Short mmCIF file of all heavy atoms in Angstrom, two decimals:
data_model
loop_
_atom_site.label_atom_id
_atom_site.label_comp_id
_atom_site.label_asym_id
_atom_site.label_seq_id
_atom_site.Cartn_x
_atom_site.Cartn_y
_atom_site.Cartn_z
N THR A 15 -42.63 -46.84 -18.72
CA THR A 15 -43.23 -45.76 -17.95
C THR A 15 -42.36 -44.50 -18.27
O THR A 15 -41.29 -44.56 -18.91
CB THR A 15 -43.00 -46.07 -16.41
OG1 THR A 15 -41.59 -46.06 -16.14
CG2 THR A 15 -43.58 -47.34 -16.12
N VAL A 16 -42.84 -43.38 -17.85
CA VAL A 16 -42.15 -42.10 -18.14
C VAL A 16 -40.76 -42.16 -17.46
O VAL A 16 -39.64 -41.76 -18.09
CB VAL A 16 -42.95 -41.01 -17.57
CG1 VAL A 16 -42.13 -39.59 -17.59
CG2 VAL A 16 -44.19 -40.79 -18.25
N LEU A 17 -40.54 -42.66 -16.17
CA LEU A 17 -39.30 -42.77 -15.57
C LEU A 17 -38.42 -43.69 -16.24
O LEU A 17 -37.22 -43.60 -16.26
CB LEU A 17 -39.44 -43.05 -14.07
CG LEU A 17 -39.97 -41.80 -13.29
CD1 LEU A 17 -40.18 -42.29 -11.84
CD2 LEU A 17 -39.13 -40.59 -13.36
N GLY A 18 -38.89 -44.74 -16.84
CA GLY A 18 -38.16 -45.65 -17.58
C GLY A 18 -37.55 -45.20 -18.78
O GLY A 18 -36.38 -45.37 -19.07
N ARG A 19 -38.28 -44.34 -19.51
CA ARG A 19 -37.76 -43.66 -20.59
C ARG A 19 -36.69 -42.63 -20.31
O ARG A 19 -35.71 -42.54 -20.93
CB ARG A 19 -38.93 -43.06 -21.48
CG ARG A 19 -39.82 -44.01 -22.06
CD ARG A 19 -40.82 -43.29 -23.06
NE ARG A 19 -41.85 -44.28 -23.38
CZ ARG A 19 -43.05 -44.27 -22.79
NH1 ARG A 19 -43.37 -43.43 -21.79
NH2 ARG A 19 -43.88 -45.11 -23.20
N TRP A 20 -36.95 -41.95 -19.14
CA TRP A 20 -35.97 -41.08 -18.75
C TRP A 20 -34.61 -41.73 -18.27
O TRP A 20 -33.56 -41.31 -18.71
CB TRP A 20 -36.49 -40.18 -17.48
CG TRP A 20 -35.51 -39.27 -16.82
CD1 TRP A 20 -35.18 -38.05 -17.27
CD2 TRP A 20 -34.67 -39.61 -15.80
NE1 TRP A 20 -34.17 -37.51 -16.55
CE2 TRP A 20 -33.83 -38.53 -15.52
CE3 TRP A 20 -34.46 -40.72 -15.00
CZ2 TRP A 20 -32.89 -38.37 -14.55
CZ3 TRP A 20 -33.60 -40.66 -14.01
CH2 TRP A 20 -32.79 -39.54 -13.73
N ALA A 21 -34.75 -42.84 -17.68
CA ALA A 21 -33.57 -43.61 -17.23
C ALA A 21 -32.86 -44.14 -18.44
O ALA A 21 -31.62 -44.09 -18.54
CB ALA A 21 -34.05 -44.76 -16.27
N ALA A 22 -33.60 -44.63 -19.44
CA ALA A 22 -32.91 -45.11 -20.62
C ALA A 22 -32.22 -44.02 -21.34
O ALA A 22 -31.07 -44.16 -21.88
CB ALA A 22 -33.97 -45.76 -21.57
N THR A 23 -32.74 -42.85 -21.37
CA THR A 23 -32.07 -41.70 -22.00
C THR A 23 -30.80 -41.35 -21.30
O THR A 23 -29.72 -41.09 -21.94
CB THR A 23 -33.07 -40.51 -22.11
OG1 THR A 23 -34.20 -40.79 -22.92
CG2 THR A 23 -32.31 -39.33 -22.67
N MET A 24 -30.97 -41.34 -20.00
CA MET A 24 -29.77 -41.08 -19.16
C MET A 24 -28.61 -42.06 -19.43
O MET A 24 -27.47 -41.66 -19.62
CB MET A 24 -30.11 -40.98 -17.68
CG MET A 24 -30.95 -39.74 -17.32
SD MET A 24 -30.10 -38.19 -17.59
CE MET A 24 -28.73 -38.31 -16.39
N LEU A 25 -28.98 -43.29 -19.42
CA LEU A 25 -27.96 -44.34 -19.49
C LEU A 25 -27.38 -44.44 -20.86
O LEU A 25 -26.26 -44.68 -21.15
CB LEU A 25 -28.53 -45.70 -19.03
CG LEU A 25 -28.77 -45.86 -17.54
CD1 LEU A 25 -29.47 -47.14 -17.22
CD2 LEU A 25 -27.47 -45.75 -16.85
N ILE A 26 -28.26 -44.35 -21.91
CA ILE A 26 -27.77 -44.65 -23.21
C ILE A 26 -27.25 -43.38 -24.01
O ILE A 26 -26.26 -43.47 -24.72
CB ILE A 26 -29.03 -45.15 -24.14
CG1 ILE A 26 -29.32 -46.53 -23.53
CG2 ILE A 26 -28.67 -45.31 -25.53
CD1 ILE A 26 -30.63 -47.15 -24.08
N GLN A 27 -27.67 -42.25 -23.70
CA GLN A 27 -27.32 -41.01 -24.37
C GLN A 27 -26.48 -40.16 -23.65
O GLN A 27 -25.38 -39.79 -23.95
CB GLN A 27 -28.60 -40.24 -24.88
CG GLN A 27 -29.39 -41.03 -25.98
CD GLN A 27 -30.63 -40.14 -26.38
OE1 GLN A 27 -30.84 -38.95 -25.98
NE2 GLN A 27 -31.54 -40.79 -27.12
N ASN A 28 -26.90 -39.77 -22.39
CA ASN A 28 -26.14 -38.76 -21.53
C ASN A 28 -24.94 -39.37 -20.81
O ASN A 28 -23.89 -38.75 -20.93
CB ASN A 28 -27.15 -38.09 -20.59
CG ASN A 28 -28.28 -37.41 -21.13
OD1 ASN A 28 -28.12 -37.08 -22.46
ND2 ASN A 28 -29.24 -37.08 -20.46
N LEU A 29 -25.05 -40.52 -20.20
CA LEU A 29 -24.01 -41.05 -19.43
C LEU A 29 -22.71 -41.23 -20.24
O LEU A 29 -21.62 -40.79 -19.73
CB LEU A 29 -24.42 -42.40 -18.62
CG LEU A 29 -23.40 -42.84 -17.78
CD1 LEU A 29 -23.04 -41.97 -16.58
CD2 LEU A 29 -23.91 -44.25 -17.15
N PRO A 30 -22.70 -41.84 -21.37
CA PRO A 30 -21.59 -42.03 -22.16
C PRO A 30 -20.79 -40.66 -22.46
O PRO A 30 -19.62 -40.54 -22.34
CB PRO A 30 -21.99 -42.73 -23.40
CG PRO A 30 -23.23 -43.36 -23.03
CD PRO A 30 -23.84 -42.51 -22.01
N ARG A 31 -21.71 -39.63 -22.79
CA ARG A 31 -21.05 -38.32 -23.04
C ARG A 31 -20.48 -37.77 -21.81
O ARG A 31 -19.31 -37.17 -21.85
CB ARG A 31 -22.19 -37.45 -23.58
CG ARG A 31 -21.80 -36.10 -24.01
CD ARG A 31 -22.80 -35.20 -24.68
NE ARG A 31 -23.88 -34.98 -23.80
CZ ARG A 31 -25.17 -35.41 -24.10
NH1 ARG A 31 -25.58 -35.92 -25.14
NH2 ARG A 31 -26.14 -35.08 -23.12
N TYR A 32 -21.14 -37.90 -20.65
CA TYR A 32 -20.50 -37.36 -19.31
C TYR A 32 -19.22 -38.13 -18.98
O TYR A 32 -18.17 -37.43 -18.65
CB TYR A 32 -21.45 -37.53 -18.26
CG TYR A 32 -22.84 -36.75 -18.38
CD1 TYR A 32 -23.95 -37.19 -17.88
CD2 TYR A 32 -22.88 -35.57 -19.21
CE1 TYR A 32 -25.04 -36.57 -17.96
CE2 TYR A 32 -24.04 -34.85 -19.30
CZ TYR A 32 -25.14 -35.43 -18.71
OH TYR A 32 -26.32 -34.73 -18.87
N VAL A 33 -19.19 -39.36 -19.23
CA VAL A 33 -17.99 -40.07 -18.89
C VAL A 33 -16.83 -39.72 -19.93
O VAL A 33 -15.76 -39.52 -19.43
CB VAL A 33 -18.28 -41.77 -19.02
CG1 VAL A 33 -16.93 -42.59 -19.00
CG2 VAL A 33 -19.16 -42.05 -17.87
N ALA A 34 -17.10 -39.63 -21.19
CA ALA A 34 -16.08 -39.23 -22.13
C ALA A 34 -15.53 -37.94 -21.90
O ALA A 34 -14.46 -37.71 -21.97
CB ALA A 34 -16.78 -39.36 -23.55
N SER A 35 -16.30 -36.90 -21.43
CA SER A 35 -15.94 -35.50 -21.19
C SER A 35 -15.05 -35.45 -19.92
O SER A 35 -14.33 -34.54 -19.78
CB SER A 35 -17.06 -34.53 -21.16
OG SER A 35 -17.91 -34.77 -20.02
N GLY A 36 -15.31 -36.39 -19.02
CA GLY A 36 -14.66 -36.29 -17.73
C GLY A 36 -13.40 -37.28 -17.56
O GLY A 36 -12.56 -36.96 -16.85
N LEU A 37 -13.35 -38.33 -18.34
CA LEU A 37 -12.40 -39.31 -18.10
C LEU A 37 -11.39 -39.43 -19.23
O LEU A 37 -10.49 -40.38 -19.16
CB LEU A 37 -13.02 -40.66 -17.95
CG LEU A 37 -13.95 -40.68 -16.68
CD1 LEU A 37 -14.55 -42.09 -16.42
CD2 LEU A 37 -13.08 -40.36 -15.45
N THR A 38 -11.45 -38.67 -20.33
CA THR A 38 -10.58 -38.79 -21.36
C THR A 38 -9.45 -37.79 -21.34
O THR A 38 -9.71 -36.60 -20.83
CB THR A 38 -11.22 -38.69 -22.82
OG1 THR A 38 -11.85 -37.48 -22.88
CG2 THR A 38 -12.14 -39.86 -23.03
N TRP A 39 -8.21 -38.14 -21.57
CA TRP A 39 -7.06 -37.19 -21.46
C TRP A 39 -7.17 -35.86 -22.18
O TRP A 39 -6.87 -34.84 -21.75
CB TRP A 39 -5.80 -37.87 -21.88
CG TRP A 39 -4.59 -37.04 -21.68
CD1 TRP A 39 -3.81 -36.43 -22.71
CD2 TRP A 39 -4.02 -36.63 -20.53
NE1 TRP A 39 -2.84 -35.73 -22.25
CE2 TRP A 39 -2.85 -35.80 -20.77
CE3 TRP A 39 -4.27 -36.87 -19.09
CZ2 TRP A 39 -2.15 -35.26 -19.86
CZ3 TRP A 39 -3.53 -36.37 -18.11
CH2 TRP A 39 -2.34 -35.51 -18.49
N ALA A 40 -7.86 -35.92 -23.33
CA ALA A 40 -8.09 -34.79 -24.22
C ALA A 40 -8.89 -33.65 -23.40
O ALA A 40 -8.65 -32.47 -23.84
CB ALA A 40 -8.76 -35.10 -25.43
N HIS A 41 -9.67 -34.04 -22.53
CA HIS A 41 -10.52 -33.07 -21.92
C HIS A 41 -9.98 -32.66 -20.50
O HIS A 41 -10.62 -31.90 -19.76
CB HIS A 41 -11.97 -33.64 -21.67
CG HIS A 41 -12.73 -33.86 -22.90
ND1 HIS A 41 -12.71 -35.00 -23.60
CD2 HIS A 41 -13.41 -32.94 -23.64
CE1 HIS A 41 -13.44 -34.90 -24.74
NE2 HIS A 41 -13.90 -33.66 -24.80
N GLN A 42 -8.74 -33.04 -20.21
CA GLN A 42 -8.06 -32.76 -18.90
C GLN A 42 -7.13 -31.61 -19.04
O GLN A 42 -6.47 -31.34 -20.13
CB GLN A 42 -7.49 -33.94 -18.30
CG GLN A 42 -8.35 -35.12 -18.14
CD GLN A 42 -9.69 -34.84 -17.37
OE1 GLN A 42 -9.51 -34.19 -16.30
NE2 GLN A 42 -10.77 -35.31 -17.73
N ASP A 43 -6.95 -30.83 -17.99
CA ASP A 43 -5.83 -29.86 -17.88
C ASP A 43 -4.59 -30.56 -17.46
O ASP A 43 -4.40 -31.05 -16.26
CB ASP A 43 -6.27 -28.72 -16.79
CG ASP A 43 -5.26 -27.68 -16.63
OD1 ASP A 43 -4.08 -27.81 -17.01
OD2 ASP A 43 -5.60 -26.77 -15.92
N ALA A 44 -3.63 -30.62 -18.45
CA ALA A 44 -2.46 -31.47 -18.16
C ALA A 44 -1.69 -30.95 -16.87
O ALA A 44 -1.10 -31.67 -16.16
CB ALA A 44 -1.53 -31.46 -19.45
N ALA A 45 -1.61 -29.67 -16.82
CA ALA A 45 -0.82 -29.10 -15.63
C ALA A 45 -1.52 -29.50 -14.33
O ALA A 45 -0.83 -29.85 -13.42
CB ALA A 45 -0.78 -27.58 -15.82
N ALA A 46 -2.85 -29.42 -14.30
CA ALA A 46 -3.58 -29.71 -13.07
C ALA A 46 -3.47 -31.05 -12.70
O ALA A 46 -3.31 -31.54 -11.51
CB ALA A 46 -5.01 -29.36 -13.23
N VAL A 47 -3.49 -31.99 -13.77
CA VAL A 47 -3.32 -33.50 -13.54
C VAL A 47 -1.91 -33.74 -13.02
O VAL A 47 -1.78 -34.47 -12.04
CB VAL A 47 -3.61 -34.27 -14.80
CG1 VAL A 47 -3.30 -35.73 -14.62
CG2 VAL A 47 -5.04 -34.09 -15.24
N GLY A 48 -0.96 -33.09 -13.59
CA GLY A 48 0.42 -33.28 -13.22
C GLY A 48 0.63 -32.89 -11.76
O GLY A 48 1.20 -33.53 -10.91
N GLN A 49 0.05 -31.70 -11.33
CA GLN A 49 0.13 -31.22 -9.93
C GLN A 49 -0.48 -32.24 -9.05
O GLN A 49 -0.04 -32.53 -7.89
CB GLN A 49 -0.59 -29.87 -9.83
CG GLN A 49 -0.59 -29.33 -8.46
CD GLN A 49 0.76 -29.10 -7.80
OE1 GLN A 49 1.71 -28.87 -8.43
NE2 GLN A 49 0.83 -29.17 -6.52
N HIS A 50 -1.67 -32.80 -9.46
CA HIS A 50 -2.38 -33.78 -8.63
C HIS A 50 -1.60 -35.06 -8.41
O HIS A 50 -1.39 -35.59 -7.26
CB HIS A 50 -3.79 -34.11 -9.24
CG HIS A 50 -4.48 -35.20 -8.46
ND1 HIS A 50 -5.09 -35.09 -7.27
CD2 HIS A 50 -4.59 -36.63 -8.80
CE1 HIS A 50 -5.57 -36.14 -6.90
NE2 HIS A 50 -5.34 -37.16 -7.79
N VAL A 51 -0.97 -35.58 -9.51
CA VAL A 51 -0.04 -36.78 -9.39
C VAL A 51 1.05 -36.45 -8.45
O VAL A 51 1.45 -37.36 -7.73
CB VAL A 51 0.39 -37.17 -10.85
CG1 VAL A 51 1.46 -38.23 -10.72
CG2 VAL A 51 -0.85 -37.65 -11.61
N ARG A 52 1.81 -35.33 -8.60
CA ARG A 52 2.87 -34.95 -7.69
C ARG A 52 2.47 -34.88 -6.21
O ARG A 52 3.12 -35.40 -5.38
CB ARG A 52 3.52 -33.70 -8.14
CG ARG A 52 4.33 -33.77 -9.41
CD ARG A 52 5.10 -32.50 -9.72
NE ARG A 52 4.31 -31.38 -10.05
CZ ARG A 52 3.63 -31.21 -11.19
NH1 ARG A 52 3.91 -32.00 -12.15
NH2 ARG A 52 2.98 -30.11 -11.36
N CYS A 53 1.22 -34.35 -6.04
CA CYS A 53 0.77 -34.30 -4.59
C CYS A 53 0.50 -35.65 -3.99
O CYS A 53 0.90 -35.96 -2.97
CB CYS A 53 -0.53 -33.38 -4.63
SG CYS A 53 -1.22 -33.20 -3.07
N VAL A 54 -0.09 -36.50 -4.93
CA VAL A 54 -0.40 -37.94 -4.35
C VAL A 54 0.97 -38.60 -4.14
O VAL A 54 1.07 -39.32 -3.11
CB VAL A 54 -1.25 -38.62 -5.44
CG1 VAL A 54 -1.31 -40.12 -5.16
CG2 VAL A 54 -2.69 -38.08 -5.52
N GLU A 55 1.88 -38.46 -5.01
CA GLU A 55 3.23 -39.08 -4.80
C GLU A 55 3.92 -38.55 -3.59
O GLU A 55 4.49 -39.35 -2.85
CB GLU A 55 4.09 -38.92 -6.09
CG GLU A 55 3.62 -39.71 -7.26
CD GLU A 55 4.47 -39.47 -8.55
OE1 GLU A 55 5.07 -38.45 -8.58
OE2 GLU A 55 4.30 -40.31 -9.44
N ASP A 56 3.80 -37.29 -3.40
CA ASP A 56 4.51 -36.75 -2.14
C ASP A 56 3.83 -37.22 -0.90
O ASP A 56 4.51 -37.65 0.02
CB ASP A 56 4.35 -35.20 -2.23
CG ASP A 56 5.32 -34.53 -3.19
OD1 ASP A 56 6.18 -35.26 -3.80
OD2 ASP A 56 5.10 -33.37 -3.47
N GLY A 57 2.46 -37.33 -0.90
CA GLY A 57 1.67 -37.82 0.23
C GLY A 57 2.13 -39.39 0.49
O GLY A 57 2.24 -39.68 1.67
N GLN A 58 2.29 -40.11 -0.53
CA GLN A 58 2.62 -41.46 -0.38
C GLN A 58 4.12 -41.60 0.29
O GLN A 58 4.26 -42.45 1.04
CB GLN A 58 2.41 -42.31 -1.62
CG GLN A 58 2.63 -43.81 -1.42
CD GLN A 58 1.65 -44.38 -0.53
OE1 GLN A 58 0.42 -44.20 -0.57
NE2 GLN A 58 2.08 -45.13 0.48
N ALA A 59 4.90 -40.81 -0.30
CA ALA A 59 6.34 -40.83 0.12
C ALA A 59 6.35 -40.45 1.69
O ALA A 59 7.12 -41.08 2.49
CB ALA A 59 7.24 -39.95 -0.58
N LEU A 60 5.54 -39.52 2.04
CA LEU A 60 5.46 -39.16 3.47
C LEU A 60 4.97 -40.28 4.32
O LEU A 60 5.52 -40.70 5.35
CB LEU A 60 4.66 -37.91 3.73
CG LEU A 60 5.20 -36.59 3.26
CD1 LEU A 60 4.16 -35.55 3.29
CD2 LEU A 60 6.41 -36.26 4.16
N ARG A 61 3.91 -40.98 3.84
CA ARG A 61 3.28 -42.09 4.65
C ARG A 61 4.27 -43.24 4.66
O ARG A 61 4.41 -43.95 5.66
CB ARG A 61 1.96 -42.57 4.01
CG ARG A 61 0.89 -41.54 4.25
CD ARG A 61 -0.37 -42.09 3.82
NE ARG A 61 -0.50 -42.08 2.25
CZ ARG A 61 -0.83 -41.06 1.54
NH1 ARG A 61 -1.14 -39.92 2.13
NH2 ARG A 61 -0.84 -41.11 0.26
N ASP A 62 4.99 -43.51 3.55
CA ASP A 62 5.97 -44.53 3.58
C ASP A 62 7.19 -44.33 4.56
O ASP A 62 7.73 -45.32 5.01
CB ASP A 62 6.63 -44.75 2.19
CG ASP A 62 5.53 -45.32 1.18
OD1 ASP A 62 4.45 -45.88 1.63
OD2 ASP A 62 5.79 -45.18 -0.11
N ALA A 63 7.54 -43.05 4.87
CA ALA A 63 8.56 -42.71 5.64
C ALA A 63 8.23 -42.78 7.10
O ALA A 63 9.11 -43.00 7.94
CB ALA A 63 9.10 -41.31 5.26
N LEU A 64 7.00 -42.77 7.47
CA LEU A 64 6.52 -42.65 8.77
C LEU A 64 7.05 -43.83 9.68
O LEU A 64 7.61 -43.63 10.81
CB LEU A 64 5.03 -42.50 8.94
CG LEU A 64 4.39 -41.29 8.39
CD1 LEU A 64 2.86 -41.38 8.45
CD2 LEU A 64 4.84 -40.07 9.27
N PRO A 65 6.86 -45.07 9.26
CA PRO A 65 7.24 -46.18 10.22
C PRO A 65 8.84 -46.15 10.48
O PRO A 65 9.22 -46.41 11.60
CB PRO A 65 6.97 -47.48 9.47
CG PRO A 65 5.93 -47.03 8.46
CD PRO A 65 6.21 -45.58 8.09
N GLY A 66 9.66 -45.76 9.62
CA GLY A 66 11.06 -45.64 9.75
C GLY A 66 11.50 -44.57 10.78
O GLY A 66 12.51 -44.63 11.37
N LEU A 67 10.54 -43.65 10.92
CA LEU A 67 10.81 -42.53 11.86
C LEU A 67 10.16 -42.85 13.26
O LEU A 67 10.11 -41.95 14.15
CB LEU A 67 10.29 -41.16 11.28
CG LEU A 67 10.99 -40.71 9.89
CD1 LEU A 67 10.23 -39.61 9.41
CD2 LEU A 67 12.44 -40.42 10.22
N GLY A 68 9.41 -43.89 13.38
CA GLY A 68 8.74 -44.20 14.61
C GLY A 68 7.52 -43.46 14.80
O GLY A 68 7.04 -43.16 15.87
N LEU A 69 6.89 -43.01 13.64
CA LEU A 69 5.74 -42.14 13.71
C LEU A 69 4.48 -42.93 13.13
O LEU A 69 4.62 -43.90 12.29
CB LEU A 69 5.91 -40.92 12.97
CG LEU A 69 7.05 -40.04 13.34
CD1 LEU A 69 7.35 -38.91 12.38
CD2 LEU A 69 6.79 -39.47 14.70
N ALA A 70 3.38 -42.54 13.62
CA ALA A 70 2.10 -43.11 13.02
C ALA A 70 1.31 -42.29 12.12
O ALA A 70 0.54 -42.74 11.31
CB ALA A 70 1.20 -43.49 14.25
N ALA A 71 1.49 -40.98 12.17
CA ALA A 71 0.83 -40.02 11.20
C ALA A 71 1.55 -38.76 11.16
O ALA A 71 2.42 -38.54 11.91
CB ALA A 71 -0.56 -39.84 11.73
N PHE A 72 1.09 -37.84 10.32
CA PHE A 72 1.63 -36.48 10.18
C PHE A 72 0.37 -35.67 9.97
O PHE A 72 -0.54 -35.99 9.35
CB PHE A 72 2.62 -36.36 9.10
CG PHE A 72 2.14 -36.51 7.66
CD1 PHE A 72 1.66 -35.34 6.95
CD2 PHE A 72 2.05 -37.69 7.02
CE1 PHE A 72 1.24 -35.47 5.62
CE2 PHE A 72 1.52 -37.78 5.71
CZ PHE A 72 1.12 -36.71 5.06
N VAL A 73 0.58 -34.36 10.40
CA VAL A 73 -0.48 -33.33 10.16
C VAL A 73 0.32 -32.11 9.49
O VAL A 73 1.24 -31.59 10.03
CB VAL A 73 -1.03 -32.86 11.54
CG1 VAL A 73 -1.99 -31.74 11.22
CG2 VAL A 73 -1.76 -34.00 12.20
N GLY A 74 -0.13 -31.73 8.33
CA GLY A 74 0.54 -30.67 7.69
C GLY A 74 0.39 -29.33 8.24
O GLY A 74 -0.71 -29.03 8.85
N ASN A 75 1.40 -28.45 8.12
CA ASN A 75 1.21 -27.12 8.71
C ASN A 75 0.03 -26.45 8.12
O ASN A 75 -0.29 -26.54 6.81
CB ASN A 75 2.56 -26.28 8.26
CG ASN A 75 3.80 -26.79 9.01
OD1 ASN A 75 3.62 -27.45 10.09
ND2 ASN A 75 4.94 -26.45 8.51
N GLY A 76 -0.66 -25.73 8.96
CA GLY A 76 -1.94 -24.99 8.59
C GLY A 76 -3.08 -25.79 8.45
O GLY A 76 -4.22 -25.37 8.14
N SER A 77 -3.02 -27.08 8.79
CA SER A 77 -4.23 -28.00 8.73
C SER A 77 -5.18 -27.70 9.83
O SER A 77 -4.84 -27.29 10.93
CB SER A 77 -3.83 -29.49 8.99
OG SER A 77 -2.94 -29.90 7.97
N VAL A 78 -6.42 -27.73 9.44
CA VAL A 78 -7.56 -27.51 10.36
C VAL A 78 -8.28 -28.91 10.51
O VAL A 78 -8.93 -29.32 9.48
CB VAL A 78 -8.49 -26.40 9.88
CG1 VAL A 78 -9.64 -26.34 10.91
CG2 VAL A 78 -7.76 -25.15 9.81
N LEU A 79 -8.04 -29.60 11.59
CA LEU A 79 -8.72 -30.93 11.73
C LEU A 79 -10.14 -30.96 12.14
O LEU A 79 -10.90 -31.79 11.60
CB LEU A 79 -7.73 -31.71 12.72
CG LEU A 79 -6.37 -31.97 12.23
CD1 LEU A 79 -5.72 -32.93 13.21
CD2 LEU A 79 -6.27 -32.62 10.88
N PRO A 80 -10.63 -30.12 12.94
CA PRO A 80 -12.01 -30.20 13.40
C PRO A 80 -12.95 -29.91 12.21
O PRO A 80 -12.68 -28.93 11.50
CB PRO A 80 -12.27 -29.27 14.51
CG PRO A 80 -10.85 -28.96 14.97
CD PRO A 80 -9.98 -29.10 13.81
N ARG A 81 -13.97 -30.70 11.93
CA ARG A 81 -14.84 -30.42 10.80
C ARG A 81 -16.05 -29.80 11.28
O ARG A 81 -16.44 -29.97 12.46
CB ARG A 81 -15.20 -31.80 10.13
CG ARG A 81 -14.06 -32.60 9.64
CD ARG A 81 -13.45 -32.04 8.36
NE ARG A 81 -12.31 -31.29 8.74
CZ ARG A 81 -11.62 -30.39 7.89
NH1 ARG A 81 -12.05 -30.21 6.69
NH2 ARG A 81 -10.54 -29.88 8.39
N ALA A 82 -16.74 -29.16 10.33
CA ALA A 82 -17.94 -28.47 10.69
C ALA A 82 -19.09 -29.46 11.26
O ALA A 82 -19.86 -29.07 12.12
CB ALA A 82 -18.52 -27.67 9.51
N SER A 83 -19.05 -30.62 10.64
CA SER A 83 -19.97 -31.66 11.12
C SER A 83 -19.44 -32.92 10.58
O SER A 83 -18.55 -32.94 9.67
CB SER A 83 -21.45 -31.43 10.69
OG SER A 83 -21.59 -31.87 9.36
N GLY A 84 -19.97 -34.06 11.00
CA GLY A 84 -19.52 -35.30 10.60
C GLY A 84 -19.78 -35.60 9.03
O GLY A 84 -19.29 -36.56 8.44
N ALA A 85 -20.84 -34.81 8.58
CA ALA A 85 -21.21 -35.02 7.25
C ALA A 85 -20.53 -34.07 6.17
O ALA A 85 -20.80 -34.12 5.02
CB ALA A 85 -22.69 -34.90 7.12
N LEU A 86 -19.69 -33.17 6.76
CA LEU A 86 -19.06 -32.14 5.87
C LEU A 86 -17.51 -32.17 5.92
O LEU A 86 -16.95 -32.53 6.97
CB LEU A 86 -19.49 -30.74 6.25
CG LEU A 86 -21.07 -30.46 6.27
CD1 LEU A 86 -21.28 -29.07 6.90
CD2 LEU A 86 -21.51 -30.55 4.81
N ASP A 87 -16.91 -31.82 4.74
CA ASP A 87 -15.50 -31.80 4.77
C ASP A 87 -15.03 -30.41 5.11
O ASP A 87 -13.78 -30.17 5.35
CB ASP A 87 -14.98 -32.04 3.39
CG ASP A 87 -15.03 -33.55 2.97
OD1 ASP A 87 -15.01 -34.37 4.07
OD2 ASP A 87 -15.10 -33.83 1.90
N ALA A 88 -15.90 -29.50 5.32
CA ALA A 88 -15.59 -27.97 5.55
C ALA A 88 -15.08 -27.84 7.08
O ALA A 88 -15.47 -28.60 7.97
CB ALA A 88 -16.82 -27.15 5.44
N PRO A 89 -14.02 -27.11 7.28
CA PRO A 89 -13.56 -26.95 8.64
C PRO A 89 -14.46 -26.17 9.55
O PRO A 89 -15.31 -25.47 9.12
CB PRO A 89 -12.24 -26.00 8.42
CG PRO A 89 -12.49 -25.30 7.14
CD PRO A 89 -13.32 -26.15 6.28
N MET A 90 -14.32 -26.57 10.83
CA MET A 90 -15.11 -25.92 11.83
C MET A 90 -14.86 -24.41 11.92
O MET A 90 -13.69 -24.11 11.95
CB MET A 90 -14.93 -26.52 13.22
CG MET A 90 -15.70 -26.02 14.31
SD MET A 90 -15.24 -26.77 15.96
CE MET A 90 -15.75 -28.40 15.73
N VAL A 91 -15.82 -23.59 11.98
CA VAL A 91 -15.62 -22.16 12.08
C VAL A 91 -15.02 -21.92 13.49
O VAL A 91 -15.40 -22.39 14.39
CB VAL A 91 -17.00 -21.41 11.96
CG1 VAL A 91 -16.83 -19.97 12.21
CG2 VAL A 91 -17.61 -21.64 10.58
N GLY A 92 -13.92 -21.07 13.38
CA GLY A 92 -13.20 -20.79 14.58
C GLY A 92 -12.26 -21.68 15.14
O GLY A 92 -11.57 -21.45 16.12
N ALA A 93 -12.17 -22.80 14.48
CA ALA A 93 -11.08 -23.85 14.84
C ALA A 93 -9.69 -23.32 14.55
O ALA A 93 -9.39 -22.76 13.48
CB ALA A 93 -11.29 -25.14 14.06
N GLY A 94 -8.68 -23.57 15.44
CA GLY A 94 -7.30 -23.17 15.23
C GLY A 94 -6.66 -24.13 14.20
O GLY A 94 -7.04 -25.22 14.02
N SER A 95 -5.59 -23.61 13.58
CA SER A 95 -4.84 -24.41 12.72
C SER A 95 -3.50 -24.90 13.28
O SER A 95 -3.13 -24.28 14.23
CB SER A 95 -4.63 -23.72 11.31
OG SER A 95 -3.84 -22.59 11.55
N PHE A 96 -2.86 -25.95 12.71
CA PHE A 96 -1.60 -26.34 13.29
C PHE A 96 -0.49 -25.50 12.71
O PHE A 96 -0.59 -24.95 11.67
CB PHE A 96 -1.35 -27.84 12.88
CG PHE A 96 -2.11 -28.74 13.62
CD1 PHE A 96 -3.40 -29.20 13.39
CD2 PHE A 96 -1.57 -29.41 14.75
CE1 PHE A 96 -4.10 -30.09 14.13
CE2 PHE A 96 -2.16 -30.30 15.47
CZ PHE A 96 -3.54 -30.63 15.19
#
């Protein structure tokens, strides 16, 4: 069928190219990846420290917790920040 041919083209020709362009180190911004890794490590260190401090969670300064809707990551308009 026409959609079968389209799906085959996507899987055989396009998908490998998209994966290679997004997941190989040569196509990444090394500084941005390093910043992301440091951020993840910092977050994990904070979470690991919580039990020893008798805490269950933390909220970063400037965080806006209410979301615009349950389906969006965008903050609620007019919501105050911590």
Side-chain angles (χ1 to χ4, degrees):
T15 69
V16 173
L17 291 178
R19 288 185 195 102
W20 175 83
T23 299
M24 289 297 294
L25 289 172
I26 295 169
Q27 295 177 9
N28 297 345
L29 185 60
R31 186 173 59 235
Y32 298 149
V33 169
S35 69
L37 298 178
T38 58
W39 181 252
H41 291 95
Q42 303 304 317
D43 177 346
V47 171
Q49 176 63 28
H50 175 73
V51 169
R52 286 187 295 279
C53 182
V54 170
E55 290 174 341
D56 289 349
Q58 188 59 53
L60 287 169
R61 286 186 290 280
D62 290 344
L64 293 175
L67 298 170
L69 301 172
F72 69 92
V73 178
N75 290 341
S77 294
V78 178
L79 297 185
R81 300 290 100 193
S83 83
L86 299 175
D87 287 334
M90 179 187 296
V91 175
S95 63
F96 284 86

